[in-house]
Amino acid sequence: MELGTFLQPAVRGALEDNIVEVRLHLDGDVNVARIKELQATLANGNVTMPYFVLVDPDTGQPIARTDASVALNPEAMIKFLSPRL
């Protein structure tokens, strides 16, 4: 995805111009309780990886969620991002 879909000009432009990327890595020394809290709050408990969540910057609430299937298709990723831009 990072070397394919995300580098497509339309997807890259939408991401760079409108999205602040935050990653949640589950490897290494992690606070399991905090990870589960974030999964419950942001991803409705979904543990699929990767999983994408758009968060409203004003409220901190999730406004859209999707799994990796969208990220494998540039058109689907643009459609996922577009209503929120």
Side-chain angles (χ1 to χ4, degrees):
M1 289 170 290
E2 293 171 349
L3 298 177
T5 302
F6 292 174
L7 294 180
Q8 296 293 319
V11 175
R12 185 176 181 171
L15 291 170
E16 288 178 349
D17 295 342
N18 302 291
I19 304 294
V20 174
E21 179 184 359
V22 177
R23 295 179 185 219
L24 176 61
H25 290 273
L26 303 175
D27 54 348
D29 187 23
V30 297
N31 180 334
V32 176
R34 182 66 178 139
I35 298 297
K36 288 183 179 184
E37 178 185 339
L38 287 169
Q39 285 175 329
T41 302
L42 297 177
N44 281 344
N46 192 311
V47 294
T48 303
M49 291 188 273
Y51 192 75
F52 302 93
V53 180
L54 294 179
V55 177
D56 183 297
D58 296 322
T59 66
Q61 296 300 308
I63 56 174
R65 299 173 177 94
T66 192
D67 60 23
S69 64
V70 170
L72 298 174
N73 179 316
E75 292 81 19
M77 180 56 90
I78 290 295
K79 185 176 179 180
F80 169 69
L81 295 171
S82 293
R84 285 86 181 162
L85 301 178

